[in-house]
Amino acid sequence: MRRTTTRLLPVALAATLFGAAACGGGGGSGTTSDGRTVVKIALWNYQTTPEFKALIDGFEAKYPKIDVQPVDILADDYPDKVTTMLAGGDKTDVLTMKNVTDYARYATRGQLLPLTGAVAGLPDKSAYAGLADYDLAGQYYALPYRQDFWVLFYNKKLVGDADVSHLTWSGFDSLAKQLTKGSGASKTYGTYLHTWRSVVQAVASAQTGGDLLGGDYGWMKDQYGIALDVQKAGATLPFATASSQKTTYDSQFTTGKAAMVPMGTWWAAALLAEKAEGKNPVDWGMAPLPQTTADGKTVTFGSPTAFAVNKKARNADAAKQFVEWASGPEGAAVLAKIGLVPSYHDSSVMNTFFGVRDMPTDATSRQAMQPSKVQLEMPVSDKSSDIDQILTEEHELVMTGEKSVDAGIKEMDHRVKTEVQ
Amino acid sequence: MTTVTTRTAPAPTAATRRRRRRNALVGWSFVLPNLLGFAALTLVPVAGTFVVAFTDWDSYSSPKWIGLANFRRMRHDDNFWTALQNTCWYAAGHIPLTLAASLGLAVLLNQKLRGVGILRTAFFFPYVTSLVAVAIVWNMLLSPDIGPVNQLLRHLGWSHPPGWTTSTDWSLPALILTSVWRDMGYYMVLFLAGLQTVPAELYEAARMDGAGPWARFWHVTMPGLRPTTFFVTVMLTISSFKVFDLVQVMTEGGPGRSTLVLSQLIFREGITHGRFGYSSAVSLALFVIVLAVTLAQFQIQRRSER
């Protein structure tokens, strides 16, 4: 009998361990050993995205009885991972909403806790840029803490005396060609147009009024003409190369390979952080995004980033406290201090922003931060993710020269009308 | 005259019964953790997929039974047919090429050559390398403008070499090329093991009958490797139809939909678009296809053995 017990013991132990492992997913205590309330927050690339640490440190300094713990996820995998986590009943308290399309998905499925009461209690809603984008039939399930929009980053040394303060897209095209120098490994490109479809499509939508969900995309034609012309002239790294090499926009700019890069304002914080670490020697500035028409207005596109509370949060009250603090004036001050554009804005926040060490403070950079209109990058709809897929696929084909602009647009029209029900 | 006597086994004593029960219990206790793991991580999810395929479940709200609607939708879904077509093309390229390459390598490296051990390791090495690393390196090698492959092709006089992963015509061949390079070392090892089972006497006999190297290969080696070839073909078929990771890292299904495969469609529909019901229906279709092809292979094998 003793021998049987000896044989069974390791097996029983293995079974127990297996059971414990199987039941342990998403577990963890709601408090720390010293009694502090734990708030877990899903976020991406914690080490290289300075905003998260800044916000967590700022919040914990004010509320020492709450321990905010990051759940770090790779940026590229973030939406898929969060979707899977929520499907599995994960109890992570705060969820960062990377874009409004994902927010709409989670909110309409009932996976987020309503924050409508918190919004109703705000003294001045107009001070929160992007807040309206989270309005789902009068209900709010997230509060924005960042409001990024696209500007034109430029390398002061490479651009030289050229005036980038009021560029049209045709002026940008000419300047990019003019700034392109050298050949082979020592070639300097006039610009770098990243592979995201927004670089062409969202620009065109914002500046021509075209509807990205409409199924009629003729309004993209001129913007594709510019992007392809720049590429054909060799003034940007070809789309096919950037795509197959998985080139990052940061590497093109910080190594001095590209003189001008249209990109979102979030990049300023990363460039400053790199400079502080001695990794980025580029002297850079910001200019308004080039425009389709030279009417003096600056129309750009952007997307707010928000925090939401998981409906299954273990510590919902503390999680709400974090979300409200991060999106409010105190969170905004923390973000502005590291060079990010917070959703909450007032004059002191912008002064803080331009007071950051090494932040360009020239008139053109200040002008870039005050666009006339910021359009949402992708309208919120239950069809957004399907349409985004189609537009991305066709964008790739047009930019790699597999399809003409007309054929690509025709296919977008056809597929959105027939495939998205 | 012969007398046949039959001896009946004596009835088991109580002690024997106890020992047998104890042995059975010990046996079960060893397989139980594995069975539990299999049930929890394979059997239940697979059974769940069968049920979910008939619902419109979005992974969070209560599933709604919709009968065959997901399968009707599949019939009219352009993405499904594109993915199925791409998967079949991928399998049609990957299976025979890997089979030929791994068999050729095995026969070559079965010789008593100097440094054969190093060569075997070198060819096996890609298989144990991270697939993500393989995909990234091949993406660089096949880069249309600055990749070494196209630079070599230009040097050889091909003025407009393929765009590889950025061309709709060449993206699937590029994936096949990469996967053959990665997999051939593994299947080479299986063939090398198979070659050890072919009796040396048969080669001797064939040689004495005047058979040359080709004749010996076709009439001795190939028949001797039949069980290994069958096993490798079945494994390659299953892995080809389930291909996902390489495509996801190298092309993400693009450009356009030129490398969209069924596993990717399943992932995209379920995780990206939150349509777990439809995603499960496509999974079921993939399961049926793989099962049918595998059963057909077993059937062909059985017939050829008769």
Side-chain angles (χ1 to χ4, degrees):
Chain A
M1 191 64 204
R2 187 187 292 164
R3 200 160 61 180
T4 311
T5 314
T6 321
R7 286 177 188 173
L8 284 174
L9 197 66
V11 181
L13 187 68
T16 313
L17 286 173
F18 170 79
C23 303
S29 168
T31 52
T32 58
S33 56
D34 59 358
R36 288 191 297 159
T37 306
V38 171
V39 169
K40 290 195 172 185
I41 169 172
L43 43 80
W44 56 87
N45 297 7
Y46 184 66
Q47 292 299 328
T48 53
T49 315
E51 74 202 58
F52 293 122
K53 187 171 183 339
L55 284 172
I56 290 171
D57 289 350
F59 179 75
E60 285 180 342
K62 174 141 189 192
Y63 299 99
K65 288 189 177 166
I66 299 176
D67 180 26
V68 183
Q69 297 179 358
V71 177
D72 198 3
I73 298 167
L74 272 178
D76 285 349
D77 300 339
Y78 187 78
D80 294 340
K81 175 83 177 167
V82 170
T83 305
T84 314
M85 281 163 62
L86 290 174
D90 191 273
K91 291 182 169 57
T92 301
D93 303 276
V94 176
L95 305 166
T96 313
M97 298 288 109
K98 206 172 181 193
N99 59 56
V100 185
T101 309
D102 290 336
Y103 159 73
R105 267 199 305 145
Y106 304 136
T108 51
R109 282 188 208 167
Q111 293 171 304
L112 306 177
L113 214 63
L115 297 172
T116 315
V119 174
L122 294 174
D124 180 14
K125 283 185 209 167
S126 65
Y128 292 79
L131 181 64
D133 298 325
Y134 294 90
D135 181 348
L136 284 175
Q139 297 290 314
Y140 292 85
Y141 299 89
L143 293 178
Y145 68 93
R146 249 175 63 191
Q147 164 69 323
D148 293 293
F149 50 85
W150 280 51
V151 296
L152 181 69
F153 286 84
Y154 67 97
N155 180 323
K156 287 183 177 172
K157 189 177 154 198
L158 295 178
V159 167
D161 294 335
D163 182 10
V164 290
S165 61
H166 295 92
L167 281 177
T168 59
W169 283 108
S170 64
F172 169 84
D173 185 355
S174 308
L175 184 59
K177 289 173 189 167
Q178 190 189 314
L179 296 173
T180 302
K181 305 263 162 58
S183 63
S186 61
K187 183 169 181 176
T188 306
Y189 295 97
T191 186
Y192 173 69
L193 299 178
H194 197 45
T195 53
W196 297 333
R197 65 167 189 80
S198 290
V199 174
V200 177
Q201 297 179 357
V203 167
S205 170
Q207 296 182 358
T208 68
D211 179 8
L212 280 162
L213 304 180
D216 184 2
Y217 299 103
W219 45 267
M220 290 180 183
K221 191 172 176 175
D222 290 345
Q223 202 62 35
Y224 269 115
I226 297 285
L228 290 171
D229 190 54
V230 168
Q231 181 168 266
K232 196 177 162 194
T236 178
L237 190 72
F239 183 96
T241 306
S243 166
S244 62
Q245 297 273 303
K246 311 234 179 262
T247 306
T248 63
Y249 54 86
D250 192 75
S251 67
Q252 281 287 294
F253 190 66
T254 54
T255 55
K257 294 292 287 177
M260 303 182 288
V261 180
M263 194 46 65
T265 46
W266 66 82
W267 196 18
L271 288 172
L272 292 174
E274 284 170 18
K275 195 156 201 162
E277 291 168 20
K279 291 180 190 166
N280 170 11
V282 172
D283 185 14
W284 56 277
M286 291 178 285
L289 194 69
Q291 299 294 299
T292 304
T293 49
D295 58 1
K297 288 182 182 164
T298 308
V299 181
T300 184
F301 70 94
S303 194
T305 313
F307 287 127
V309 179
N310 186 350
K311 201 168 189 180
K312 294 188 175 171
R314 200 181 296 274
N315 291 314
D317 288 340
K320 271 186 187 173
Q321 212 170 348
F322 174 80
V323 173
E324 287 174 33
W325 178 88
S327 61
E330 290 169 279
V334 166
L335 291 177
K337 259 183 216 165
I338 57 167
L340 280 168
V341 185
S343 161
Y344 178 87
H345 56 272
D346 57 20
S347 55
S348 77
V349 166
M350 288 322 283
N351 285 338
T352 308
F353 179 85
F354 281 110
V356 178
R357 189 181 162 200
D358 291 327
M359 178 69 82
T361 54
D362 55 282
T364 307
S365 295
R366 285 182 180 273
Q367 188 195 338
M369 296 308 293
Q370 293 170 319
S372 320
K373 186 188 166 196
V374 178
Q375 182 181 291
L376 194 59
E377 186 167 355
M378 184 73 178
V380 180
S381 152
D382 57 347
K383 297 175 177 63
S384 297
S385 67
D386 286 302
I387 294 176
D388 178 62
Q389 186 77 53
I390 293 169
L391 297 183
T392 300
E393 287 170 359
E394 297 306 319
H395 173 73
E396 282 175 1
L397 295 175
V398 172
M399 291 307 296
T400 51
E402 290 284 311
K403 269 185 189 167
S404 68
V405 176
D406 286 331
I409 288 174
K410 195 176 165 192
E411 191 65 10
M412 286 179 209
D413 292 352
H414 173 72
R415 288 186 62 193
V416 168
K417 280 171 190 156
T418 56
E419 288 177 29
V420 184
Q421 294 140 8
Chain B
M1 190 175 163
T2 314
T3 312
V4 178
T5 54
T6 52
R7 232 195 283 169
T8 50
T13 61
T16 312
R17 277 200 301 271
R18 264 203 311 276
R19 196 173 61 244
R20 281 185 188 164
R21 260 205 309 273
R22 209 162 50 218
N23 283 345
L25 200 66
V26 170
W28 275 108
S29 69
F30 272 105
V31 291
L32 199 63
N34 228 347
L35 279 180
L36 281 174
F38 175 74
L41 301 172
T42 307
L43 209 59
V44 172
V46 168
T49 305
F50 273 78
V51 178
V52 173
F54 296 92
T55 70
D56 75 343
W57 194 45
D58 63 3
S59 86
Y60 201 77
S61 44
S62 304
K64 201 174 97 190
W65 189 264
I66 54 167
L68 294 170
N70 281 328
F71 297 93
R72 278 196 291 272
R73 182 188 160 169
M74 209 187 299
R75 268 175 49 205
H76 303 290
D77 182 5
D78 204 23
N79 283 328
F80 172 75
W81 292 110
T82 306
L84 178 61
Q85 201 178 351
N86 289 340
T87 310
C88 290
W89 276 119
Y90 174 84
H94 181 232
I95 299 168
L97 286 176
T98 311
L99 205 60
S102 52
L103 178 61
L105 275 178
V107 171
L108 196 71
L109 299 183
N110 198 37
Q111 317 293 317
K112 287 183 178 115
L113 303 168
R114 185 178 283 183
V116 75
I118 294 170
L119 282 172
R120 285 177 185 174
T121 312
F123 282 110
F124 185 69
F125 195 66
Y127 193 76
V128 290
T129 307
S130 154
L131 193 128
V132 176
V134 168
I136 291 170
V137 168
W138 274 91
N139 254 345
M140 288 178 169
L141 291 173
L142 296 173
S143 182
D145 294 310
I146 53 175
V149 172
N150 275 6
Q151 282 181 3
L152 178 72
L153 293 176
R154 277 191 206 98
H155 192 69
L156 294 173
W158 193 346
S159 54
H160 296 291
W164 299 112
T165 53
T166 57
S167 144
T168 46
D169 293 333
W170 288 94
S171 49
L172 213 48
L175 286 172
I176 292 169
L177 184 75
T178 310
S179 54
V180 169
W181 178 82
R182 179 180 183 264
D183 292 346
M184 64 185 185
Y186 172 70
Y187 293 106
M188 173 198 75
V189 172
L190 297 184
F191 275 121
L192 275 172
L195 284 169
Q196 312 304 316
T197 64
V198 184
E201 299 82 41
L202 291 180
Y203 287 108
E204 274 306 311
R207 206 172 273 125
M208 284 169 74
D209 287 345
W214 274 112
R216 289 203 297 277
F217 177 75
W218 284 115
H219 299 295
V220 180
T221 309
M222 284 308 283
L225 283 179
R226 192 174 288 159
T228 314
T229 311
F230 175 68
F231 175 73
V232 168
T233 311
V234 170
M235 296 305 286
L236 273 171
T237 306
I238 294 171
S239 76
S240 294
F241 276 94
K242 290 197 315 184
V243 65
F244 172 75
D245 32 19
L246 189 76
V247 183
Q248 184 68 16
V249 180
M250 276 186 84
T251 61
E252 292 177 56
R257 289 182 288 183
S258 60
T259 55
L260 177 69
V261 288
L262 281 172
S263 301
Q264 224 181 355
L265 183 68
I266 291 165
F267 175 82
R268 199 182 272 183
E269 286 295 331
I271 303 296
T272 311
H273 301 312
R275 291 188 285 256
F276 281 79
Y278 185 60
S279 172
S280 299
V282 180
S283 307
L284 216 55
L286 177 60
F287 172 75
V288 170
I289 292 165
V290 175
L291 187 69
V293 175
T294 312
L295 287 178
Q297 284 173 324
F298 272 98
Q299 196 65 29
I300 293 165
Q301 168 77 356
R302 251 184 239 123
R303 272 192 202 154
S304 67
E305 278 174 357
R306 273 180 209 151

